Amino acid sequence: MKMGQGVEWAIHCCALLASLPPDCALRLEKIAEFYDLPVPYLRKHFQALSRAGLVSTTSGPRGGYRLARAASEISLLQIYQALEGKEPAFRCNEIRKQGPTACAQKLYPGACNIATSMWRAEAAWKSELEKVSLADVLGEAATQIPQARVDATLKWFEDVLGG
Amino acid sequence: MKMGQGVEWAIHCCALLASLPPDCALRLEKIAEFYDLPVPYLRKHFQALSRAGLVSTTSGPRGGYRLARAASEISLLQIYQALEGKEPAFRCNEIRKQGPTACAQKLYPGACNIATSMWRAEAAWKSELEKVSLADVLGEAATQIPQARVDATLKWFEDVLGG
């Protein structure tokens, strides 16, 4: 089971947008530059984030992407689901109903308990990701991003946002 | 994020082995027949289960696969990991260290907190799957498998295991 690389990119990029000065937006090319990511792939992921209502765009010379709501209102689960969808990782094909000892479908009283166990685990995973907002990510990052990078980023914002 | 179909197959097939009469084994072709699954793919999955020490083979006319330990000692997590490996679904490529504001790697004090949050969720998922053994699956299945299928399966065992 492998998660698309876009999830890592999207969370980091949304965290970058969350750290912008108020009322500022960043063009896609600049977001890609900040993390040294390829623009075409990142564009696809931002289209998904936009469709999910997590980011929005403003036009004009100072236009670009910004978060569509407060960083505290965007969870890691929402970003994950924007990119990878809401389908469970485990798909139940009801093989318990197949084979030479098969009996009428209607005789089975409920969901397959193997599927139920697998989905219970996925619910625990989702619940953890739902608890973590972009605001939490930024708060924790404050102790993990070296001061040299913080200073360089503030300087980069000045250059890129045009003072 | 999508789990290989083999996980569903392997759990069901191990549950079938767990329900065999004592000291009996089932040939791969018969296991495949029971759930109407393609033999070549199932063989690959059973090789993985065997490498992980979850099933073993016996030779001879009544030979075949059996569980390598008690059903209560085999968890859904072990079956999952036998097939899909132990690599986390979320891969951290440390993109926080890239781009025009990059600073020396050694200045970063610890793991990226985004990765840590993603892995915490995976730990919760693993913990749920670790709690469920094949014995639990069989116990629950008793209320979910129609009596007609149970009876037909006992009859099938008689035919296949050679009385």
Side-chain angles (χ1 to χ4, degrees):
Chain A
M1 196 166 63
K2 228 170 144 176
M3 201 178 290
Q5 199 178 29
V7 176
E8 180 192 19
W9 296 4
I11 297 172
H12 276 280
C13 291
C14 285
L16 179 67
L17 295 185
S19 67
L20 282 177
D23 299 321
C24 288
L26 261 187
R27 303 183 72 79
L28 184 76
E29 292 73 13
K30 287 294 157 187
I31 302 173
E33 180 188 306
F34 187 80
Y35 289 115
D36 199 11
L37 300 174
V39 172
Y41 287 110
L42 195 63
R43 176 171 293 120
K44 206 182 109 220
H45 299 316
F46 264 82
Q47 285 163 350
L49 291 169
S50 189
R51 275 195 301 273
L54 302 181
V55 300
S56 58
T57 45
T58 53
S59 54
R62 295 203 176 183
Y65 277 106
R66 63 168 91 190
L67 295 184
R69 44 187 196 261
S72 59
E73 299 300 314
I74 297 179
S75 71
L76 297 193
L77 180 64
Q78 288 169 325
I79 297 175
Y80 168 83
Q81 289 182 331
L83 269 73
E84 303 261 313
K86 292 184 180 181
E87 282 294 301
F90 179 86
R91 321 278 170 110
C92 174
N93 294 298
E94 291 283 10
I95 66 168
R96 66 182 176 146
K97 297 182 179 173
Q98 296 176 184
T101 71
C103 60
Q105 302 268 332
K106 64 178 181 194
L107 292 178
Y108 288 82
C112 172
N113 67 311
I114 290 174
T116 308
S117 293
M118 298 302 287
W119 291 331
R120 193 186 305 125
E122 290 191 42
W125 174 83
K126 280 163 67 172
S127 163
E128 285 298 318
L129 291 189
E130 206 163 21
K131 279 183 214 159
V132 185
S133 72
L134 279 180
D136 297 327
V137 166
L138 279 196
E140 286 173 14
T143 63
Q144 291 181 321
I145 302 217
Q147 193 58 42
R149 174 140 185 157
V150 173
D151 295 341
T153 299
L154 292 174
K155 174 77 177 57
W156 185 82
F157 279 162
E158 272 179 36
D159 294 346
V160 164
L161 300 169
Chain B
M1 194 165 65
K2 228 169 144 176
M3 201 177 291
Q5 198 177 29
V7 176
E8 182 193 18
W9 296 4
I11 298 172
H12 277 280
C13 291
C14 285
L16 178 66
L17 295 185
S19 66
L20 282 177
D23 300 321
C24 288
L26 261 187
R27 305 183 72 79
L28 184 75
E29 291 72 14
K30 287 294 159 189
I31 302 173
E33 179 188 307
F34 187 81
Y35 288 116
D36 199 11
L37 301 174
V39 172
Y41 287 110
L42 194 63
R43 178 172 291 119
K44 208 183 108 220
H45 299 316
F46 264 82
Q47 285 163 351
L49 292 169
S50 188
R51 275 194 302 275
L54 303 181
V55 300
S56 59
T57 44
T58 52
S59 53
R62 295 205 177 181
Y65 278 105
R66 63 168 90 191
L67 294 185
R69 42 188 197 262
S72 58
E73 299 300 312
I74 297 179
S75 70
L76 297 194
L77 181 65
Q78 288 170 326
I79 298 175
Y80 168 83
Q81 289 182 333
L83 269 73
E84 302 262 313
K86 291 184 180 181
E87 282 294 300
F90 179 86
R91 321 279 168 107
C92 174
N93 293 299
E94 291 284 9
I95 66 168
R96 65 182 178 147
K97 296 182 178 172
Q98 295 176 185
T101 71
C103 61
Q105 302 268 334
K106 63 178 181 193
L107 292 177
Y108 288 81
C112 171
N113 67 311
I114 289 173
T116 309
S117 293
M118 298 302 287
W119 291 331
R120 193 186 306 124
E122 291 191 40
W125 174 83
K126 280 164 68 172
S127 164
E128 285 297 321
L129 290 188
E130 207 162 21
K131 279 184 216 159
V132 184
S133 72
L134 278 180
D136 297 327
V137 166
L138 279 197
E140 287 173 16
T143 63
Q144 291 181 320
I145 303 216
Q147 193 57 42
R149 175 141 184 156
V150 173
D151 294 342
T153 299
L154 292 175
K155 173 78 176 59
W156 185 82
F157 279 162
E158 272 178 38
D159 294 345
V160 164
L161 299 170

